[in-house]
Amino acid sequence: MTDWTALPDRDPSEAELAAVREALRSPDPVERDERAYSRLAGWIPGLAEERRLALGDAMADRFGDPEIQARTFAPLVLGRIVRTGSLRAEWLAAFARWYPAETDLRGHHPALGWLHAVAHGADLLGAFGQHPDVDPEPLLALGTARLLAPTGHVFDAMEDDRLGCALALTLTRPELTECQAVGWLDAVAEVFAGGEPGPVPAEVSNTLRTLRVVHLLAVRGVRPQWGGAEVRALPHGAAVGERIAEVLSTAAPYLG
């Protein structure tokens, strides 16, 4: 195991960058998360644009990797890159194919450590959602598709908070009309209306809890940085909150 964190916080050599990039595929959670990812996250803001683009291409390719930890750390790194302003349309296309289709939604694995496909994907969704060159409306539909995809996994590691925050950040985009800001909820309403008596399916439970987060952020505003002082209002927050309440009441009548 290499202690990548011992490398200087400077522009890395090609050999160093390639080695750390490869370590992000490691099944060892210390090697991958605490060492490789931490080192790479520190390098990304200072990389030259062409190097960030090349790294982003490599991460987008990993959405098709056979190893779950490789797939789920790709969006975490790609989100860091997108937040610097770097962007390729191909990255968004690759992410859109992977995110709702991923079936391994485990948050934490005793041997592999954090996997967090939904949460890490949500971080990238939120990064795309704040990028001025990305159309926000399809991102709302993409988040909905992830929520409604059939699964046996009930969120157990705050994935609902992460995805709710990503949707709320996307909803801060001023170019969204009120119709667009609430339209993504129609697909949820249709699924909820078709519900039958019995145990609540995992994807419905996940969606209910995520929408409660979005409702809270629609009322209070959302912080673009965890722990940061800035709070952004949702331009159509009142309409979003009202529509979410209507949709939730279909599947959760206790809400009124």
Side-chain angles (χ1 to χ4, degrees):
M1 183 182 297
T2 303
D3 186 3
W4 302 111
T5 58
L7 291 174
D9 191 10
R10 55 156 175 77
D11 199 31
S13 69
E14 283 303 314
E16 289 170 340
L17 186 59
V20 172
R21 187 180 64 216
E22 182 58 28
L24 284 169
R25 298 186 70 258
S26 174
D28 187 310
V30 175
E31 173 84 349
R32 182 183 70 252
D33 197 344
E34 299 179 22
R35 298 174 185 251
Y37 173 69
S38 296
R39 178 68 286 163
L40 191 56
W43 279 340
I44 285 171
L47 291 177
E49 174 69 2
E50 63 271 17
R51 301 187 83 191
R52 282 201 301 266
L53 291 173
L55 180 60
D57 291 343
M59 293 299 105
D61 286 343
R62 287 196 181 172
F63 288 127
D65 197 283
E67 297 289 335
I68 179 60
Q69 74 277 359
R71 296 197 300 275
T72 62
F73 267 71
L76 201 59
V77 174
L78 199 52
R80 290 263 184 178
I81 295 171
V82 171
R83 281 190 288 275
T84 69
S86 299
L87 179 70
R88 288 197 202 274
E90 293 83 0
W91 301 347
L92 179 53
F95 174 61
R97 289 191 296 269
W98 167 76
Y99 195 39
E102 178 59 62
T103 58
D104 190 341
L105 305 187
R106 293 172 295 177
H108 190 272
H109 184 273
L112 295 173
W114 287 109
L115 299 175
H116 246 183
V118 173
H120 291 177
D123 291 354
L124 178 54
L125 183 72
F128 280 132
Q130 295 173 86
H131 198 292
D133 294 332
V134 176
D135 183 355
E137 187 178 14
L139 294 175
L140 298 171
L142 179 57
T144 304
R146 173 63 278 172
L147 284 170
L148 296 177
T151 180
H153 178 78
V154 175
F155 294 163
D156 59 5
M158 300 185 73
E159 295 94 336
D160 39 359
D161 284 30
R162 299 269 281 272
L163 186 46
C165 180
L167 290 167
L169 285 170
T170 304
L171 286 163
T172 64
R173 292 284 292 278
E175 61 266 47
L176 284 169
T177 65
E178 182 176 313
C179 182
Q180 291 172 324
V182 300
W184 59 283
L185 290 159
D186 291 348
V188 180
E190 183 177 352
V191 170
F192 284 4
E196 298 179 355
V200 177
E203 64 272 16
V204 172
S205 176
N206 296 338
T207 303
L208 285 165
R209 288 156 47 202
T210 302
L211 290 186
R212 290 182 178 118
V213 174
V214 180
H215 186 278
L216 176 63
L217 297 176
V219 173
R220 299 192 62 188
V222 59
R223 298 180 189 273
Q225 291 188 336
W226 183 45
E230 180 188 2
V231 178
R232 294 182 187 172
L234 280 61
H236 305 291
V240 170
E242 184 63 29
R243 179 58 175 150
I244 288 176
E246 292 174 356
V247 172
L248 287 177
S249 66
T250 305
Y254 307 103
L255 298 177

